[in-house]
Amino acid sequence: MVTYSVFANIPPMPLSFKGRNNQVEEILSIIQSQAVAMTGSGGIGKSALATAVLHDSRVVQDYKTSRFFVRCDGPLSASDPAGSSNSKEKLISIIATSLDISTSDRSMENAVVRFFSKEPSILVLDNLETLWDVSNREFDEFLQRLVGVSMLKLIVTFRGTLPRSMAWRTWKEVELDILDPTSAQDVFLRLSDIQEQPVYPHLDDILAAVEYLPLAIVLLASQATREFGLEQLWEEWTWRRSEMLKDGRYRREMPGSRELSVHASIEFSLNRPMMTRSARTLLSQLSLLPDGASPNDLQSLFPPHRLKQTDDRSEKVLQSLSLAYYDRVDQHESKARLRIHACTREYLHYRDKMDEECDRLPGICSSMHKTRRQ
């Protein structure tokens, strides 16, 4: 017997959802024939977009109570071995736990597949990268089995770029970018508690400083009030900077904590298994170059022997983790520059400052490192 609960797993519609309507339309069109993988950097708004799709009136009409949102970084079931390294079994366990799927059969995988085979349904697997294991062929096969369920429309969010795996060749990738300036301003003003006025001093400066990253905009907007207006917010940013990109409710151990801290979001990418020492070296050097580096710059400034590269290219690692990107001018490859986002650059400078403090005041190193992990 299979049982389930429905709406408790769908996050509420984002309070301010701007600049993504075209992508909602694109996804609704794609899922008629293909599974969708939303990709992009941490804090870019993948989860918010997936949530907006589930709340779209057409999706509500077509799927009603068969709309499901599963966090892949959520809790495992009590029966799942704590030390299990099988990512497929973890994914199945998380889906079953999130949707209260139970069965008398021995195969939970079959129960999950049957669950989605009874009526038209739509499933979002959020933060799938937290479980991805490129060496686990069974994980690929299970995803493909879900894609093959005719009644199921499948959407996943995946930080970084999609792995080069057979499992993804039948998917359609939708890559998210930062918000445009007008949408970013609308989001900030909708979420902040400042009075409406003819002009908003320093708002353009604030948004440009975080390069229109949705998560950073949400976190800064929550700090703007009638008493603590934009001028005060900008003044505090000029000296606190990256320290402000964290919600007061943030706790490192909380589920979904990366949604409350830009630091935590960036640290998650920095600590992914594919991150290499040479990629860290390149990232550190790029943090000193606001305008990025051209391919020729990379060859002269960061030769392979200096980065201690083997058969991988450090810039490819950073790109796969969405920690760096090539900014092309007029689509000319020769004019491309490898850059990192302003929020990543600010965080790396913040970490360096903390390390300097540790060197200067060894007695507070433990507390500094604790803050750095947060």
Side-chain angles (χ1 to χ4, degrees):
M1 176 182 178
V2 176
T3 62
Y4 59 91
S5 62
V6 185
F7 295 114
N9 295 295
I10 302 179
M13 183 68 184
L15 291 176
S16 182
F17 187 74
K18 303 287 184 180
R20 302 294 195 199
N21 290 334
N22 288 342
Q23 278 133 347
V24 170
E25 296 299 325
E26 180 183 7
I27 290 166
L28 291 180
S29 175
I30 294 169
I31 61 172
Q32 301 307 314
S33 58
Q34 285 180 277
V36 176
M38 299 184 201
T39 62
S41 63
I44 204 72
K46 300 181 295 295
S47 300
L49 177 57
T51 300
V53 168
L54 290 183
H55 283 283
D56 186 271
S57 59
R58 292 160 292 184
V59 174
V60 173
Q61 180 178 352
D62 290 344
Y63 300 101
K64 300 180 175 62
T65 60
S66 296
R67 295 172 290 131
F68 308 105
F69 187 99
V70 174
R71 295 187 63 106
C72 294
D73 56 351
L76 300 174
S77 71
S79 61
D80 190 85
S84 173
S85 60
N86 190 316
S87 55
K88 185 193 87 167
E89 296 303 325
K90 287 181 180 178
L91 176 58
I92 292 171
S93 177
I94 287 173
I95 294 173
T97 300
S98 299
L99 304 184
D100 291 343
I101 300 174
S102 60
T103 179
S104 57
D105 295 349
R106 297 184 62 183
S107 173
M108 181 59 73
E109 178 179 344
N110 289 337
V112 167
V113 172
R114 284 200 306 273
F115 176 83
F116 294 114
S117 301
K118 293 189 173 183
E119 60 183 359
S121 57
I122 182 168
L123 169 66
V124 170
L125 295 177
D126 192 39
N127 299 323
L128 186 64
E129 77 283 345
T130 59
L131 294 178
W132 180 260
D133 180 357
V134 69
S135 65
N136 191 332
R137 183 176 178 180
E138 291 181 348
F139 191 97
D140 283 27
E141 292 172 349
F142 176 64
L143 276 182
Q144 289 305 91
R145 189 176 180 190
L146 286 180
V147 171
V149 176
S150 60
M151 292 284 192
L152 177 64
K153 304 301 182 184
L154 185 59
I155 299 171
V156 306
T157 72
F158 199 101
R159 178 181 299 220
T161 57
L162 291 178
R164 295 181 178 179
S165 164
M166 286 293 293
W168 302 107
R169 293 191 179 181
T170 59
W171 293 61
K172 177 67 175 180
E173 181 178 5
V174 176
E175 185 176 4
L176 271 65
D177 202 350
I178 56 176
L179 293 175
D180 64 87
T182 300
S183 297
Q185 184 177 90
D186 289 344
V187 169
F188 186 98
L189 293 175
R190 173 69 177 83
L191 296 178
S192 65
D193 188 30
I194 59 177
Q195 292 179 311
E196 185 175 347
Q197 48 194 296
V199 295
Y200 295 94
H202 295 299
L203 180 54
D204 291 340
D205 297 326
I206 292 169
L207 298 175
V210 295
E211 288 187 357
Y212 311 103
L213 182 73
L215 176 58
I217 294 169
V218 170
L219 294 174
L220 288 176
S222 68
Q223 300 173 53
T225 66
R226 295 173 186 266
E227 297 76 24
F228 190 79
L230 291 170
E231 292 189 17
Q232 292 91 335
L233 187 67
W234 175 247
E235 182 179 353
E236 186 158 355
W237 170 265
T238 59
W239 66 275
R240 288 188 61 201
R241 305 190 75 86
S242 184
E243 294 178 49
M244 299 181 68
L245 301 180
K246 181 169 64 175
D247 188 285
R249 298 167 296 167
Y250 170 76
R251 298 294 181 274
R252 183 169 177 262
E253 66 279 1
M254 286 175 52
S257 62
R258 298 196 305 273
E259 298 172 6
L260 298 175
S261 168
V262 171
H263 289 192
S265 179
I266 295 171
E267 273 294 335
F268 175 79
S269 293
L270 291 174
N271 292 325
R272 294 289 301 283
M274 65 280 292
M275 191 65 170
T276 63
R277 179 176 296 182
S278 60
R280 286 182 183 275
T281 300
L282 178 57
L283 185 67
S284 178
Q285 297 299 317
L286 287 172
S287 72
L288 304 175
L289 303 171
D291 292 329
S294 69
N296 289 336
D297 293 334
L298 292 174
Q299 290 295 324
S300 59
L301 296 175
F302 315 116
H305 70 272
R306 181 177 174 186
L307 293 177
K308 299 180 180 178
Q309 291 173 291
T310 53
D311 58 345
D312 69 326
R313 296 182 62 189
S314 299
E315 65 268 28
K316 296 297 184 184
V317 173
L318 296 181
Q319 284 182 277
S320 70
L321 294 170
S322 286
L323 287 169
Y325 62 97
Y326 271 106
D327 185 12
R328 290 178 171 80
V329 180
D330 298 329
Q331 301 301 311
H332 289 299
E333 193 76 27
S334 61
K335 296 182 180 180
R337 300 187 70 82
L338 186 66
R339 302 176 186 269
I340 64 176
H341 192 274
C343 289
T344 303
R345 187 167 60 249
E346 290 286 350
Y347 176 58
L348 294 173
H349 293 170
Y350 168 77
R351 292 206 323 174
D352 290 343
K353 182 175 71 172
M354 289 178 60
D355 288 341
E356 291 174 3
E357 287 294 318
C358 279
D359 292 339
R360 187 170 65 88
L361 300 170
I364 64 169
C365 270
S366 58
S367 61
M368 282 287 188
H369 283 292
K370 181 179 179 181
T371 304
R372 175 172 172 170
R373 290 194 300 271
Q374 294 175 347

